[in-house]
Amino acid sequence: YRAILRDADREDLETRGVDSDVLLDGTFVRGKEVFYNVGLRYRGDNSRDFAVKAFRIDFPHDQPFEGITHLNVNALDNHLADLAADFIRRAGVPVFQTRPVAYTLNNAWQTKHGGLYLRVEAVDDELLARVFPGDDEGNLYHGRDPSGPGEADLKYLGPNPASYADFYEKKTNTEQDDYSDVIALTDAFTNTPDQDFEAVMEGLLDVDEWLRFFAVETILNNQDGAIATDTGEDYLMYHRLSDGKWVVLPWDQNENFQDPTAGIFRMGIAGVRRLVLHPAFVGRYFQRVLSLLDGPFQTEPMTLRIDAARSVYGASLLDPMASFVPARQDAIRDLIPDRLTAGVEPLYLVRTGDNWRYFKGTREPSGGTTTWTGVSFDDTSWPEGPGGFGYGDGDDRTTLADMEG
C-alpha cells in the first residue's frame, strides 16, 4: 500500500496536533490500482503519540477500495492483534478482520510513516453488513473513556441523552441522535432488582455471546484497560433489530498473550461482574471458557496458527506467544472447579471500581481524633467516588488533583 501527500500536506500532517481528525487530500496506490482524492490522517487514541504512526484512509463512495470506504492501518504490536483476532473469529465472536500489509507514506519505508502494518477493519456500517448480513441497520456504539470523569462502564447516568454521547460513540444512525436504547440498557444493568436480573438480561442481551466474549478476553488475558478488565472502553455494542438484543464486540487487541497465570475473574466493572458472576450465568461462563480451551485455543491449532505467521513476524515476537498457550491452558484449568457451583463468587476485600466515601484534607476528619475510624461515624457529608484514587496519572477512577504533595 502506498499513500501519497503533497509536500505541504505532509508537513501539515507532521506539524499540526496529532489529535486532528481533519482529512488531508491524497492518493492511494495498490499495485496498478490508483485512487485519487482519498482522505488521510493519523488515527487511534494513545497510538497517535507513538513514534510510528497509525493511519486512517477514507475513499470516495463512488470509488471504494475492495468494497470499503474506510481503511485503518496500524503500526505497533501487530502480531498480537492479528493472532488475537484470528482466535476470536474462530471462537465465534464477531470481530474486525485483519491482514498484514506493507505500507508507506511518500515512500518513507521503515520510518514513522512506513513499514510492516496491520490492516484493521474500520468500525462502521460496512463491518455490520459483513458480520450481521440482513440485520445490519441497528445502532452500533464504540465504548470510550475520554479524558476527564466518566466512561462507558454500563452505569446508568440518568435520562438525559447528552450524558451518554461522549462515552458511547455512535457509529451508525448518527443522524437520529437517539441514545434511548443505551439509556435503557444501562438502567437495566444498574437498577434491576437482583430477583429480576436474570430475566431482564436474557431479554436484553444475547447472553451466550456476551459470556463467550468475556471468556475469550479471559483466555487471551487482554492487559488493556477495557470493558473486560477495569475500564469502560475499547469495545463495541450492537443493538440487533431482528430480536432487539445486544451483542458485544472486541476492539483493541494488541495487549494480549501476556502473564499466563492471571486469574479468570479480572472484571472490575460493576455491571460486568454482576452479569458474569450471577448465579444463573457464572456456570455458563465457565462452560464457555472450557469449550474454548477444548476447541480453538487447543495447543495444536494455536501452534499451527502461530507457525503460519512466522513468514510475516519474527521468532522473537512469536515464540513467547507459542509458550503462552500451554501455560495459559494449565493455569485456567487449575482455577475452574471440577463441579460448577452456581453462585459461588470469589472473595474480594477491595475491588477496583467499588464505591468509597473519602475525606480531603491534611488533618484527622473528626477534630483531631480517630473517631472517624469507628463503624458508627457519620460520613454522609463526605464526597463519594469509585476506587482507585490518585492524582490523575491515567489509571484513576477518582482524581484528587488538588491533593498531590
Side-chain angles (χ1 to χ4, degrees), residues 136-155:
D136 56 351
E137 297 184 1
N139 289 333
L140 177 68
Y141 297 91
H142 186 185
R144 301 186 65 248
D145 176 23
S147 59
E151 58 193 66
D153 57 2
L154 303 175
K155 186 181 299 180

mmCIF file of all heavy atoms in Angstrom, residues 136-155:
data_model
loop_
_atom_site.group_PDB
_atom_site.id
_atom_site.type_symbol
_atom_site.label_atom_id
_atom_site.label_comp_id
_atom_site.label_asym_id
_atom_site.label_seq_id
_atom_site.Cartn_x
_atom_site.Cartn_y
_atom_site.Cartn_z
ATOM 1 N N ASP A 136 -28.295 -5.432 9.744
ATOM 2 C CA ASP A 136 -27.181 -4.511 9.962
ATOM 3 C C ASP A 136 -27.593 -3.046 10.069
ATOM 4 O O ASP A 136 -26.770 -2.160 9.900
ATOM 5 C CB ASP A 136 -26.166 -4.660 8.823
ATOM 6 C CG ASP A 136 -26.796 -4.436 7.452
ATOM 7 O OD1 ASP A 136 -28.032 -4.343 7.369
ATOM 8 O OD2 ASP A 136 -26.046 -4.363 6.462
ATOM 9 N N GLU A 137 -28.862 -2.785 10.368
ATOM 10 C CA GLU A 137 -29.328 -1.403 10.412
ATOM 11 C C GLU A 137 -29.576 -0.890 11.826
ATOM 12 O O GLU A 137 -30.142 0.174 12.023
ATOM 13 C CB GLU A 137 -30.595 -1.255 9.564
ATOM 14 C CG GLU A 137 -30.351 -1.539 8.086
ATOM 15 C CD GLU A 137 -31.573 -1.297 7.223
ATOM 16 O OE1 GLU A 137 -32.616 -0.895 7.788
ATOM 17 O OE2 GLU A 137 -31.486 -1.493 6.000
ATOM 18 N N GLY A 138 -29.143 -1.639 12.831
ATOM 19 C CA GLY A 138 -29.308 -1.213 14.208
ATOM 20 C C GLY A 138 -28.237 -0.219 14.623
ATOM 21 O O GLY A 138 -27.391 0.202 13.824
ATOM 22 N N ASN A 139 -28.245 0.146 15.881
ATOM 23 C CA ASN A 139 -27.275 1.109 16.424
ATOM 24 C C ASN A 139 -26.000 0.392 16.862
ATOM 25 O O ASN A 139 -26.051 -0.589 17.602
ATOM 26 C CB ASN A 139 -27.870 1.852 17.618
ATOM 27 C CG ASN A 139 -28.957 2.827 17.214
ATOM 28 O OD1 ASN A 139 -28.966 3.328 16.091
ATOM 29 N ND2 ASN A 139 -29.891 3.091 18.123
ATOM 30 N N LEU A 140 -24.869 0.913 16.393
ATOM 31 C CA LEU A 140 -23.551 0.421 16.791
ATOM 32 C C LEU A 140 -22.864 1.507 17.605
ATOM 33 O O LEU A 140 -22.795 2.659 17.172
ATOM 34 C CB LEU A 140 -22.708 0.081 15.570
ATOM 35 C CG LEU A 140 -21.261 -0.377 15.827
ATOM 36 C CD1 LEU A 140 -21.234 -1.741 16.507
ATOM 37 C CD2 LEU A 140 -20.471 -0.420 14.516
ATOM 38 N N TYR A 141 -22.352 1.148 18.782
ATOM 39 C CA TYR A 141 -21.686 2.096 19.672
ATOM 40 C C TYR A 141 -20.267 1.634 19.965
ATOM 41 O O TYR A 141 -20.000 0.434 20.093
ATOM 42 C CB TYR A 141 -22.441 2.226 21.000
ATOM 43 C CG TYR A 141 -23.843 2.767 20.883
ATOM 44 C CD1 TYR A 141 -24.927 1.907 20.727
ATOM 45 C CD2 TYR A 141 -24.086 4.139 20.933
ATOM 46 C CE1 TYR A 141 -26.225 2.403 20.630
ATOM 47 C CE2 TYR A 141 -25.372 4.642 20.842
ATOM 48 C CZ TYR A 141 -26.434 3.767 20.684
ATOM 49 O OH TYR A 141 -27.723 4.262 20.588
ATOM 50 N N HIS A 142 -19.382 2.598 20.089
ATOM 51 C CA HIS A 142 -17.999 2.345 20.479
ATOM 52 C C HIS A 142 -17.814 2.861 21.899
ATOM 53 O O HIS A 142 -17.911 4.065 22.150
ATOM 54 C CB HIS A 142 -17.050 3.069 19.521
ATOM 55 C CG HIS A 142 -15.601 2.776 19.744
ATOM 56 N ND1 HIS A 142 -14.586 3.406 19.062
ATOM 57 C CD2 HIS A 142 -14.974 1.904 20.589
ATOM 58 C CE1 HIS A 142 -13.424 2.951 19.468
ATOM 59 N NE2 HIS A 142 -13.640 2.036 20.399
ATOM 60 N N GLY A 143 -17.576 1.966 22.843
ATOM 61 C CA GLY A 143 -17.363 2.365 24.232
ATOM 62 C C GLY A 143 -16.040 3.083 24.401
ATOM 63 O O GLY A 143 -15.001 2.580 23.981
ATOM 64 N N ARG A 144 -16.079 4.266 25.048
ATOM 65 C CA ARG A 144 -14.886 5.096 25.145
ATOM 66 C C ARG A 144 -14.690 5.582 26.573
ATOM 67 O O ARG A 144 -15.617 5.661 27.373
ATOM 68 C CB ARG A 144 -14.987 6.300 24.197
ATOM 69 C CG ARG A 144 -15.167 5.932 22.735
ATOM 70 C CD ARG A 144 -15.111 7.140 21.834
ATOM 71 N NE ARG A 144 -13.779 7.765 21.864
ATOM 72 C CZ ARG A 144 -13.518 8.952 22.380
ATOM 73 N NH1 ARG A 144 -14.473 9.674 22.934
ATOM 74 N NH2 ARG A 144 -12.286 9.436 22.350
ATOM 75 N N ASP A 145 -13.432 5.924 26.857
ATOM 76 C CA ASP A 145 -13.049 6.531 28.136
ATOM 77 C C ASP A 145 -12.295 7.815 27.817
ATOM 78 O O ASP A 145 -11.056 7.840 27.848
ATOM 79 C CB ASP A 145 -12.173 5.567 28.937
ATOM 80 C CG ASP A 145 -11.675 6.182 30.238
ATOM 81 O OD1 ASP A 145 -12.318 7.129 30.733
ATOM 82 O OD2 ASP A 145 -10.639 5.730 30.747
ATOM 83 N N PRO A 146 -13.014 8.897 27.487
ATOM 84 C CA PRO A 146 -12.332 10.144 27.134
ATOM 85 C C PRO A 146 -11.668 10.749 28.361
ATOM 86 O O PRO A 146 -11.902 10.327 29.494
ATOM 87 C CB PRO A 146 -13.470 11.032 26.617
ATOM 88 C CG PRO A 146 -14.683 10.510 27.308
ATOM 89 C CD PRO A 146 -14.472 9.037 27.474
ATOM 90 N N SER A 147 -10.832 11.738 28.122
ATOM 91 C CA SER A 147 -10.181 12.405 29.249
ATOM 92 C C SER A 147 -11.229 13.062 30.121
ATOM 93 O O SER A 147 -12.237 13.583 29.651
ATOM 94 C CB SER A 147 -9.182 13.450 28.738
ATOM 95 O OG SER A 147 -9.836 14.415 27.934
ATOM 96 N N GLY A 148 -11.009 13.041 31.422
ATOM 97 C CA GLY A 148 -11.984 13.584 32.350
ATOM 98 C C GLY A 148 -12.800 12.477 32.987
ATOM 99 O O GLY A 148 -12.646 11.296 32.674
ATOM 100 N N PRO A 149 -13.720 12.833 33.889
ATOM 101 C CA PRO A 149 -14.509 11.816 34.592
ATOM 102 C C PRO A 149 -15.506 11.144 33.659
ATOM 103 O O PRO A 149 -15.983 11.725 32.690
ATOM 104 C CB PRO A 149 -15.230 12.628 35.677
ATOM 105 C CG PRO A 149 -15.312 14.018 35.121
ATOM 106 C CD PRO A 149 -14.047 14.211 34.324
ATOM 107 N N GLY A 150 -15.804 9.887 33.974
ATOM 108 C CA GLY A 150 -16.806 9.153 33.220
ATOM 109 C C GLY A 150 -16.215 8.246 32.164
ATOM 110 O O GLY A 150 -15.130 8.482 31.647
ATOM 111 N N GLU A 151 -16.956 7.171 31.846
ATOM 112 C CA GLU A 151 -16.526 6.198 30.854
ATOM 113 C C GLU A 151 -17.725 5.340 30.506
ATOM 114 O O GLU A 151 -18.790 5.422 31.136
ATOM 115 C CB GLU A 151 -15.398 5.330 31.408
ATOM 116 C CG GLU A 151 -15.787 4.590 32.672
ATOM 117 C CD GLU A 151 -14.593 3.993 33.394
ATOM 118 O OE1 GLU A 151 -13.742 4.759 33.895
ATOM 119 O OE2 GLU A 151 -14.518 2.753 33.447
ATOM 120 N N ALA A 152 -17.580 4.494 29.489
ATOM 121 C CA ALA A 152 -18.668 3.630 29.034
ATOM 122 C C ALA A 152 -18.697 2.345 29.857
ATOM 123 O O ALA A 152 -18.477 1.241 29.350
ATOM 124 C CB ALA A 152 -18.515 3.322 27.552
ATOM 125 N N ASP A 153 -18.992 2.478 31.154
ATOM 126 C CA ASP A 153 -18.921 1.348 32.083
ATOM 127 C C ASP A 153 -20.285 0.745 32.398
ATOM 128 O O ASP A 153 -20.448 0.083 33.423
ATOM 129 C CB ASP A 153 -18.218 1.774 33.370
ATOM 130 C CG ASP A 153 -18.904 2.961 34.055
ATOM 131 O OD1 ASP A 153 -19.947 3.437 33.551
ATOM 132 O OD2 ASP A 153 -18.379 3.431 35.081
ATOM 133 N N LEU A 154 -21.279 0.984 31.511
ATOM 134 C CA LEU A 154 -22.615 0.406 31.644
ATOM 135 C C LEU A 154 -23.351 0.922 32.865
ATOM 136 O O LEU A 154 -24.364 0.345 33.278
ATOM 137 C CB LEU A 154 -22.548 -1.130 31.677
ATOM 138 C CG LEU A 154 -21.870 -1.786 30.474
ATOM 139 C CD1 LEU A 154 -21.763 -3.295 30.689
ATOM 140 C CD2 LEU A 154 -22.620 -1.493 29.189
ATOM 141 N N LYS A 155 -22.893 2.024 33.413
ATOM 142 C CA LYS A 155 -23.548 2.618 34.578
ATOM 143 C C LYS A 155 -24.627 3.593 34.103
ATOM 144 O O LYS A 155 -24.423 4.373 33.176
ATOM 145 C CB LYS A 155 -22.520 3.343 35.443
ATOM 146 C CG LYS A 155 -23.072 3.874 36.767
ATOM 147 C CD LYS A 155 -21.981 4.599 37.534
ATOM 148 C CE LYS A 155 -20.827 3.680 37.855
ATOM 149 N NZ LYS A 155 -19.756 4.375 38.616
#
